[in-house]
Every structure is written in C-alpha cells, then in structure tokens.
Amino acid sequence: LDIFRTKFIFHNFENNFPLQQDTTDDGDWLLKIGATPSFNTGPQGDHTTGNGVYFYVESSGQNYGGKLFTTYTPTFDVSATYGRVLSFWYHMFGVAMGELEVGILDSNGYTPIFNKSGDQGDQWYLANINLDSLNINGPFKVVFDGFTGTSYTSDISIDDILIGDSVLINYGCTDFMALNYDSTAVADD
C-alpha cells in the first residue's frame, strides 16, 4: 500500500497518467486533449490552458443509461496535517447529463462528500471541500463516480485535482491567467 505523506498533491493529467480505474464498474474514465467526440456535450478543452489533458467519462455508444464509471486517487494520509482541502474542477455539459459523486474511502468506509447532477452549462466549475470537517481516519482515497445520463449528451469531466492548502482565488491577478480564462466561471462550495 503506497501512502503519500506530503503537504499537497496536485494532479492535472498533463503527464498522461490517469487515476486508478475500478475494475467492477461499467467502464473506464479516459484521458483527453481537446473536445470530446460527441456534439453538445463535454468541454472544448482542459481547465488549465484549454490545450492540455483532462479526465472524462465518454457517454456515447453503450455508455449511457445510468452506467457507473469509478476512478480513485492514490492513498493519502493528511490526518495529522490540519487546514487541508480537496479541490478539483469539473465540467458537466449536456441536456441528458447524469451525476458526479465524489467520496472519501478510509478505514471508516465510504463517505460521499460532493454530489452534482444535471446540465451545469458549458463551463468548468471549482469544487472546494474542507477535509478537516470529515473526520477522516488515517490513510484515504478520493473516489470519483460518474453516472451517465439517458443519452450520449452526458460526458462528465474532471481536472486539476488538489489535496493541500486552501485554494486562493485572486480575481485581480492576470499574470498566470489560463488561455481559456472565463470571467463568468463559478466557484462551487
């Protein structure tokens, strides 16, 4: 069992290294650059630059209709380090959008910590979850469950996963602004 004991973990998929796939679900999350192959669903590019890599559920073909796609982070232990958060960006665009559930898997079992369903529009959203309030017991994994909707227009995407210090958002800073900066993007608590 590999356990990461560190101040923070950041995964933006740019190294083309996916998260761990569940072997008992209905399919695998996929790495992608650019738009998903389906029309009217999925992002046009990754959250970071618009030209990078993100992780997503492709809902075309036999993949729609409430199918479950599960992926896991590596195992972490931040139980002795306070003030940590889980943050990630998600994209859920499509009229038949399904559901994204995120949970913590530790010695207490599985605890859901985030849930979003339905069409959220064609933009990336930031989710920030305070890990201190979850009573995590020792090593844990973060679980991302994507449930597809009733048609191919239910691609679900994630990017820029961080376990570490709280994310600072400075709306006045443009020095490191991504090429796909969207002033209308919404941070989701």
Side-chain angles (χ1 to χ4, degrees), residues 15 40 86 113 118 180 186:
N15 61 2
N40 285 331
L86 163 66
I113 59 172
N180 66 339
V186 178

Side-chain angles (χ1 to χ4, degrees), residues 1-2 7 15 19 24 32-33 50 60 72 82 86 88 102 114 116 134 147 150 161 163 169 172 182:
L1 177 68
D2 290 331
K7 287 191 166 190
N15 61 2
L19 298 179
T24 63
K32 183 69 178 159
I33 298 174
S60 295
Y72 305 91
Y82 299 101
L86 163 66
F88 60 92
V102 180
F114 174 89
K116 191 65 71 172
L134 300 177
F147 298 89
T150 57
I161 301 166
I163 296 177
I169 300 173
D182 181 359

Side-chain angles (χ1 to χ4, degrees), residues 82-139:
Y82 299 101
R84 297 297 182 240
V85 299
L86 163 66
S87 69
F88 60 92
W89 290 84
Y90 66 95
H91 191 284
M92 297 175 67
F93 167 57
V95 295
M97 182 51 61
E99 177 183 351
L100 174 63
E101 180 175 285
V102 180
I104 296 292
L105 185 60
D106 68 0
S107 62
N108 295 322
Y110 176 80
T111 304
I113 59 172
F114 174 89
N115 186 282
K116 191 65 71 172
S117 61
D119 184 4
Q120 303 300 308
D122 191 4
Q123 64 186 32
W124 287 95
Y125 290 90
L126 175 64
N128 254 332
I129 298 143
N130 180 343
L131 296 177
D132 293 345
S133 65
L134 300 177
N135 298 319
I136 296 171
N137 189 11

Side-chain angles (χ1 to χ4, degrees), residues 12-14 16 32-35 43-54 124 159-160 177-181:
N12 64 5
F13 305 104
E14 295 305 313
N16 284 313
K32 183 69 178 159
I33 298 174
Q44 295 302 306
D46 78 324
H47 163 259
T48 316
T49 65
N51 299 312
V53 183
Y54 59 94
W124 287 95
D159 200 4
D160 297 334
M177 191 175 296
L179 296 176
N180 66 339
Y181 171 73

Side-chain angles (χ1 to χ4, degrees), residues 8-28:
F8 71 93
I9 297 295
F10 182 70
H11 196 91
N12 64 5
F13 305 104
E14 295 305 313
N15 61 2
N16 284 313
F17 189 73
L19 298 179
Q20 177 186 349
Q21 303 282 1
D22 189 301
T23 58
T24 63
D25 60 356
D26 296 316
D28 289 342

